[in-house]
Amino acid sequence: MIAFKTAVRACLVAAVLSAAPVVAAAGPFIAADRTAAVPAQSRDGLNRRVRIHNQTGWTMTHFYASDARLDDWQEDMLGAGVLAAGASVMMNIDDGSGACLYDFRARFSNGQELTRFGVNVCEIADYYYTR
């Protein structure tokens, strides 16, 4: 089941990134809405789109969102891109399992890593990373 979810998420990330402009990781950019081409996967009708805000002052180099019931982190949802300080990006945090609770992990250009457990993506629209 985990391998299936990983394969589905990889396909979704590839589809989303092919629809959005790709920017080399060497320079910061303001990411576009990466959900426009991705239909919701869960059949319960709940919105799992969350705008991730980077208000840390550092560039976000990696962002992971994994079903809280899993013991491993899924793929980096930023892919080859980054999220500049002060920027935000809309993410579809839906692996098709119907889960609402996800663990978030973000890595930044200064070496910091911030992890939050049990974020209910069915109840929030925005998530802020701050200092």
Side-chain angles (χ1 to χ4, degrees):
M1 184 68 165
I2 292 174
F4 173 74
K5 288 181 186 179
T6 301
V8 168
R9 187 170 288 204
C11 290
L12 289 173
V13 169
V16 170
L17 290 178
S18 67
V22 177
V23 178
F29 76 102
I30 297 174
D33 180 343
R34 295 183 182 206
T35 62
V38 179
Q41 287 115 26
S42 294
R43 294 182 179 168
D44 57 14
L46 295 175
N47 181 1
R48 291 172 175 82
R49 289 180 165 89
V50 177
R51 180 164 296 279
I52 305 299
H53 298 266
N54 180 8
Q55 297 180 339
T56 63
W58 306 296
T59 299
M60 184 183 294
T61 58
H62 299 82
F63 177 76
Y64 306 92
S66 293
D67 183 332
R69 299 173 292 189
L70 301 178
D71 292 330
D72 62 334
W73 292 101
Q74 302 301 309
E75 291 83 14
D76 174 14
M77 293 184 73
L78 290 177
V82 298
L83 186 60
S88 67
V89 63
M90 183 65 77
M91 295 282 189
N92 187 14
I93 315 282
D94 191 346
D95 63 4
S97 70
C100 286
L101 296 179
Y102 282 79
D103 298 334
F104 287 180
R105 177 172 285 170
R107 291 185 184 154
F108 298 90
S109 57
N110 69 340
Q112 291 284 338
E113 185 173 277
L114 300 174
T115 303
R116 172 82 186 273
F117 297 99
V119 178
N120 191 332
V121 301
C122 296
E123 293 182 355
I124 66 169
D126 294 275
Y127 188 85
Y128 293 85
Y129 280 95
T130 61
R131 285 192 194 196

